[in-house]
């Protein structure tokens, strides 16, 4: 079996089947994918292409039917539910489309949650949460409840929570799905800067071409297989781009 | 039709919750029905028993105190208009000596020629009394004793052990079915000899002309009767039983109403949840043009549908349970209860109460659903998740509390009667449950503050979820508090009574040995009598210190049916009774002078005090007896008075002794036993007797505990419902917690913490209200029943109820917790 | 894009000479636009002929001490400019598209996979979009004009990518 050395994520021959008999659905039909540390990978595909399932399996939320996922060298197949939970808690950060925060906790408490559950001392957890909120430029909102924040701010709090544990992998699911385009762009710029400035490995699924184009690499899923994959070269800056002659 | 289909599908979409709600209602209705049917059956059976015995006779002439009288004294009266035939009989309790101890039965002495007018006795085997001066037994009884015509049997009578030849076996029909066939028929003259009546009879049964009105005839007959004689319906013989029954019926009714109320609260809670869960589809219905009244009607329809199913199932279960309870009730009353009687008022009551309470309980949620703005429902993410306690609840609950205090005061002051106890308690509990929302939010906050240093993140989250839904939390904790209040309030009362009963027999049943023909029947408070001369025989045994006689005499005291306990007392000793009021030594002297020691219950009922006179109906007319003092006594539901044997004998002519109370050292026991056996008598040690009473008490108390547990079970169903709802609503959040950080165990503990927090906030107000209820019940006990109890806190009871409630609540959280932990995370995250 | 209106618009901000006008035009006003100085002067002459601009000679202002013509708007010129601003421009569908041509032809030519064409075009478009979005994310201090232009580029590319998805779907 192939194993990429030093990969953050290594997906090998991954298949996932739901249901049986007439309701049997093959959501993933053999996916191979390697993500290097610090890489920002986008997975695109129409709805039903299996992109969300892929994210769930990589995140250990669903067991694979066949094949394996290795996060930082650890095979998910070998972990039981509790070990998976701890892996998610310490090594993976999740950002979902919406309803991403616990409504009864403040921004800072939401961010500190994975640490507190992991047994980190409350004072340290909150210091780290404040630092994470600072990274997403929301330090002044730490005492607010999610209901008092705008959609974009909520998503940024969610991102702060996802990175507060310094995870190996950030899994992002349609991060701008519930946001207007301007706010969405800010969230995407934030994710981009996490990869650029902190070397954060990011795997994002989306159906938005604009979001996907932010990544370093793009995988297109069709009917449960990777139909196309491309690296996106580092670009030019705005001046160069705007001064370029198309004629 | 479409709307009905929609409702049915909504109910079926959540089979678990529908089942739980249904179960809560079913238990409530079943408790109501089973208790109602059992009590009504018992009441009817004791009433009908003597009607059956009297056959066609609708009236009977008896002497006061059930003593004998010369039939000539009624010769003028039986000539009254409307009387077709007058049948003289002797009716006396007796005991047949069987293989396994005495068999209590009623001996009926008849004149075979005259008796046909009243009873139609059919011979199954053997010959009638016209041909042979023997004894007739019902087929069932004869078979159980292994007797056939020609055999001999022994009957314990005041004339001693009578050996009689079985003349015939009777078919089980008409009078022969009395008390499940516990009857023996002998010739009138023979009965007169056996029961020491000479030429007297103790009843003349009157068969009326077909078109005669019993009440008119009774008036006419009574006018022609001498003082000391009375005409009445045969059922009056069981009038003491009415008190006995009422005594246990009232608290049982109260408990059954409580479980119904708990059921109603569960419906309320369920529908509040249901509309919050279905807000989107309900809002869609509104957006599509369903009017508010239509929407409310639809929800009411759903609740009615649920209630109808629950009520029908509950009635079925209740009937089943009643069949089981009937045997226990019969044992308690000392009678064989016939088939269950499908009392229409109980069944109709259940049919009305089940759906009625459901409609009341759904009214608030249905109104809420109609009032919610359409857009807030369609876009719930815009609205704040959670609920709030309606503003009107505060003043309403406050005024209910005031009203409740007034009602409690009314009971304590004695302005309100015992019949109102069940509705008053129901009202009180509803009030307490509705008042819980006033304190729960602050209690939750306080509890969170206290628990903060030791609680986990999960616990913190659990608290906040509860605080987010103050109404639902309050209602659930209201139902839990209901269980706690019931448990502590009723439990304290029950334990108080049990303690008091123990105290009573400690003081009253002091003799070392008791000898009797058979145990008295609770329903009639009559007991087979033994010869009077046995006292000498027992007294002759070496070392016997004393032998005292006791006789239970059903009489009328101050116009109320009561029991006269005629017994011998030792001179120059403090009276061996549970004295409430007065000095035992002085009381003993007064009773020796012929005064009466009256039970506090009877005195209270008649409004009499020590020093007053109580009017007793005697064979020679009404007599005034001075009340020397008040005593506590539980026999015959407290409707009794004690008199010295000699004084009672003078008034009523005591022809036999029901119980011999013998004081003797253990060395005398074998000889005493031998004498008892020779005469076919029951021999009980003091311990035997106490064990017997304990068993009776345990039976009744057991029924109360069972009902209390049922109320707790219903309350726990509410907890399951609420927590399941929390889990469903928190689905996304639980999914998120699972995805982000929490193990299954941590999730389970979080749900468990919610349950424990619910229990904690219910326990505090519940315990306080429960103790208040106990105190109020104690305060009103004397006012309502005349029983004087000492009020005592029962720390063990409080601890038990607290532990039970906490444990049960935690157990109730296991199912939703498991559900939460097993949820597929990916599904939960995308749950709408 | 009319050079005429562009020059009128630039002169609305004050009088300028030809080289200044060219620099402003090529700077931000018409991105990626090229204009030679001859074009500038012919257009100015035409405008002057129509009475929309007028010029005066300024002595020795260029580095070589030669005289220059400095142009300014006449009132008629102002009026013409405002009329143009007030009228909606004709909305062009811009349907002349090379990729469309490739796809249509690929379907007709034996041995060429039209879907392969779509895939390759999409990769190219994504690379472009990546550049644009990256540039946009990084250019925090961009001027409003730059920002608007980057938006235009990004949204056009997204529309184009969406069209390619439709092509793919309809070709299969």
């Amino acid at each position: 079996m192939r194993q990429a050395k030093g990969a953050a994520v290594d997906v090998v021959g991954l298949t996932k089947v739901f249901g049986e008999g007439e309701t049997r659905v093959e959501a993933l039909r053999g996916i191979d994918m390697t993500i290097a540390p610090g890489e920002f990978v986008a997975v695109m595909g129409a709805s039903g292409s299996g992109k969300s399932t892929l994210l769930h399996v990589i995140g250990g939320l669903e067991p694979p039917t066949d094949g394996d996922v290795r996060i930082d060298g650890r095979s998910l197949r070998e972990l039981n539910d509790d070990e998976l939970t701890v892996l998610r808690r310490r090594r993976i950060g999740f950002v979902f489309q919406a309803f991403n925060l616990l409504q009864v906790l403040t921004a800072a408490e939401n961010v500190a949650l994975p640490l507190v559950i992991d047994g980190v001392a409350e004072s340290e957890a909150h210091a780290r949460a404040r630092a994470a909120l600072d990274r997403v430029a929301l330090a002044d909102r730490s005492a607010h409840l999610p209901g008092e924040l705008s959609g974009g701010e909520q998503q940024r709090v969610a991102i702060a929570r996802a990175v507060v544990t310094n995870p190996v992998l950030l899994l992002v699911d349609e991060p701008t799905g519930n946001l207007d385009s301007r706010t969405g762009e800010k969230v995407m710029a934030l994710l981009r800067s996490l990869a650029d400035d902190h070397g954060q490995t990011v795997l994002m699924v989306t159906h938005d071409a604009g979001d996907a184009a932010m990544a370093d690499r793009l995988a297109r899923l069709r009917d449960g297989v990777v139909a196309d994959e491309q690296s996106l070269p580092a670009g030019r800056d705005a001046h160069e781009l705007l001064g370029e002659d198309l004629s | 039709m479409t709307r009905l289909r929609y409702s049915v599908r909504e109910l079926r979409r959540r089979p678990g919750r529908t089942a739980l709600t249904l179960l809560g209602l079913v238990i409530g209705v079943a408790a109501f029905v089973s208790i109602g049917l059992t009590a009504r059956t018992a009441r009817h059976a004791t009433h009908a028993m003597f009607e059956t015995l009297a056959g066609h006779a609708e009236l009977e002439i008896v002497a006061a105190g059930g003593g004998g009288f010369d039939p000539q004294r009624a010769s003028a009266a039986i000539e009254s208009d409307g009387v077709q035939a007058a049948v003289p009989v002797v009716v006396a309790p007796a005991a047949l000596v069987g293989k396994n101890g005495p068999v209590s039965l009623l001996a009926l002495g008849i004149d075979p020629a005259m008796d046909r007018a009243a009873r139609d006795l059919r011979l199954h085997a053997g010959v009638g009394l016209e041909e042979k001066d023997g004894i007739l037994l019902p087929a069932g009884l004869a078979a159980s004793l292994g007797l056939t015509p020609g055999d001999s049997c022994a009957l314990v009578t005041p004339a001693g052990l009578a050996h009689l030849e079985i003349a015939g076996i009777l078919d089980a029909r008409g009078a022969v079915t009395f008390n499940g066939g516990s009857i023996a028929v002998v010739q009138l003259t023979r009965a007169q000899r056996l029961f020491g009546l000479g030429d007297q009879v103790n009843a003349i049964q009157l068969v009326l002309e077909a078109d005669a009105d019993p009440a008119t005839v009774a008036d006419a007959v009574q006018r022609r009767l001498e003082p000391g004689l009375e005409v009445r319906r045969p059922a009056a013989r069981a009038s003491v039983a009415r008190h006995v029954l009422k005594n246990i019926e009232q608290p049982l009714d109260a408990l059954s109403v409580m479980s119904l109320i708990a059921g109603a609260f569960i419906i309320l809670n369920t529908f509040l949840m249901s509309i919050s869960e279905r807000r989107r589809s309900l809002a869609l219905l509104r957006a599509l043009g369903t009017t508010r009244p239509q929407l409310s009607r639809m929800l009411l329809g759903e609740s009615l549908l649920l209630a109808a199913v629950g009520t029908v199932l509950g009635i079925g279960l209740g009937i089943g349970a009643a069949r089981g309870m009937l045997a226990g009730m019969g044992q308690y009353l000392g009678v064989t209860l016939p088939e269950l009687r499908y009392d229409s008022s109980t069944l109709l009551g259940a049919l009305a109460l089940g759906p009625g309470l459901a409609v009341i309980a759904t009214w608030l949620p249905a109104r809420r659903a109609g009032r919610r703005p359409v857009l807030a429902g369609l876009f719930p993410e815009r609205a704040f998740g959670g609920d709030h306690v309606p503003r009107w609840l505060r003043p309403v609950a406050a005024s209910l509390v005031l009203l409740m205090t007034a009602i409690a005061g009314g009971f304590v002051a004695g302005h309100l009667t015992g019949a109102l106890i069940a509705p008053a308690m129901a009202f009180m509990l509803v009030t307490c449950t509705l008042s819980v929302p006033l304190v729960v939010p602050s209690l939750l906050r306080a509890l969170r503050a206290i628990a903060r240093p030791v609680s986990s993140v999960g616990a913190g989250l659990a608290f906040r979820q509860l605080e987010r839904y103050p109404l639902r939390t309050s209602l659930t904790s209201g139902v839990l508090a209901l269980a706690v209040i019931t448990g502590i309030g009723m439990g304290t009362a029950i334990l108080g009574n049990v303690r008091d009963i123990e105290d009573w027999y400690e003081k009253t049943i002091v003799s070392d040995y008791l000898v009797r023909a058979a145990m008295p029947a609770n329903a009639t408070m009559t007991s087979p009598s033994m010869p009077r001369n046995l006292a000498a025989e027992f007294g002759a045994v070496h070392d016997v210190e004393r032998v005292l006689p006791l006789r239970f005499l059903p009489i009328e005291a101050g116009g109320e049916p009561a029991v006269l306990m005629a017994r011998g007392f030792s001179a120059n000793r403090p009276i061996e009774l549970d004295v409430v009021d007065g000095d035992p030594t002085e009381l003993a002297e007064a009773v020796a002078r012929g005064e009466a020691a009256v039970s506090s219950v009877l005195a209270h009922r008649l409004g009499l005090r020590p020093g007053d006179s109580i009017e007793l109906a005697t064979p020679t007319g009404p007599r005034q007896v001075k009340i020397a003092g008040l005593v506590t006594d539980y026999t015959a539901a407290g409707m009794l008075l004690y008199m010295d044997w000699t004084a009672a004998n003078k008034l009523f002519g005591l022809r036999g002794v029901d119980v011999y109370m013998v004081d003797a050292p253990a060395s005398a026991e074998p000889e005493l036993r031998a004498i008892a056996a020779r005469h076919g008598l029951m021999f009980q040690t003091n311990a035997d007797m106490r064990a017997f009473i304990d068993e009776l008490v345990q039976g009744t108390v057991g029924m109360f505990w069972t009902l209390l547990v049922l109320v707790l079970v219903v309350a726990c169903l509410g907890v399951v419902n609420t927590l399941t709802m929390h889990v469903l609503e928190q689905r996304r959040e639980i999914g998120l917690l699972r995805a982000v950080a929490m193990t299954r165990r941590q999730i389970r503990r979080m749900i468990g913490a919610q349950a424990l927090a619910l229990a904690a906030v219910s326990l505090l107000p519940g315990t306080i209200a429960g103790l208040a209820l106990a105190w109020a019940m104690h305060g009103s006990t004397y006012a309502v029943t005349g029983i004087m109890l000492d009020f005592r806190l029962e720390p063990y009871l409080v601890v038990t109820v607290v532990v039970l409630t906490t444990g049960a609540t935690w157990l109730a959280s296991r199912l939703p917790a498991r559900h939460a932990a097993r949820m597929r995370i990916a599904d939960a995250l995308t749950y709408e | 894009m009319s050079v005429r209106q562009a020059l009128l618009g630039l002169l609305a901000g004050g009088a300028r000479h030809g080289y200044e006008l060219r620099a402003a035009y090529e700077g931000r006003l018409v991105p990626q636009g090229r204009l030679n100085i001859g074009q500038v002067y012919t257009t100015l002459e035409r405008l002057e002929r129509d009475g929309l601009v007028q010029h005066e000679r300024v002595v020795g202002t260029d580095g070589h001490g030669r005289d220059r013509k400095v142009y300014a708007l006449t009132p008629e010129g102002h009026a013409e400019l405002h009329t143009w601003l007030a009228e909606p421009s004709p909305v062009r569908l811009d349907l002349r598209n090379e990729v469309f041509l490739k796809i249509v032809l690929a379907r007709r030519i034996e041995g060429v996979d039209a879907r392969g064409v779509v895939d390759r075009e999409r990769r190219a478009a994504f690379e472009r979009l990546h550049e644009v979005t990256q540039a946009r994310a990084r250019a925090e201090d961009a001027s409003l004009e730059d920002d608007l232009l980057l938006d235009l580029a990004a949204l056009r590319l997204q529309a184009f990518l969406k069209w390619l998805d439709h092509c793919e779907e309809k070709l299969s």
Side-chain angles (χ1 to χ4, degrees), chain B residues 507 577-583 587 598-601 629-633 782 786-788:
Chain B
K507 288 181 182 154
L577 294 174
D578 189 357
V579 180
V580 179
D581 206 5
D583 173 59
L587 191 57
V598 179
S599 147
S600 61
V601 176
L630 300 186
V631 295
T632 298
D633 207 297
Y782 174 72
I787 298 173
M788 290 180 190

Side-chain angles (χ1 to χ4, degrees), chain A residues 38-41 192 214-218 230-232, chain C residues 130 134:
Chain A
E39 208 179 1
F40 187 161
V41 176
R192 185 66 244 177
M214 292 292 278
D216 301 322
R217 191 147 60 90
L218 183 61
Q230 80 182 103
S231 288
L232 300 170
Chain C
H130 178 65
Q134 290 275 65

Side-chain angles (χ1 to χ4, degrees), chain A residues 170-193:
Chain A
L170 192 58
L171 289 175
V172 185
D173 188 6
E174 301 279 6
T176 64
N178 275 37
L179 303 175
D180 63 69
S181 59
R182 208 78 203 146
T183 324
E185 274 164 30
K186 278 193 190 140
V187 166
M188 284 311 301
L190 176 61
L191 288 172
R192 185 66 244 177
S193 76

Side-chain angles (χ1 to χ4, degrees), chain B residues 17 45 204 263 357:
Chain B
R17 186 182 329 149
I204 297 174
L357 285 173

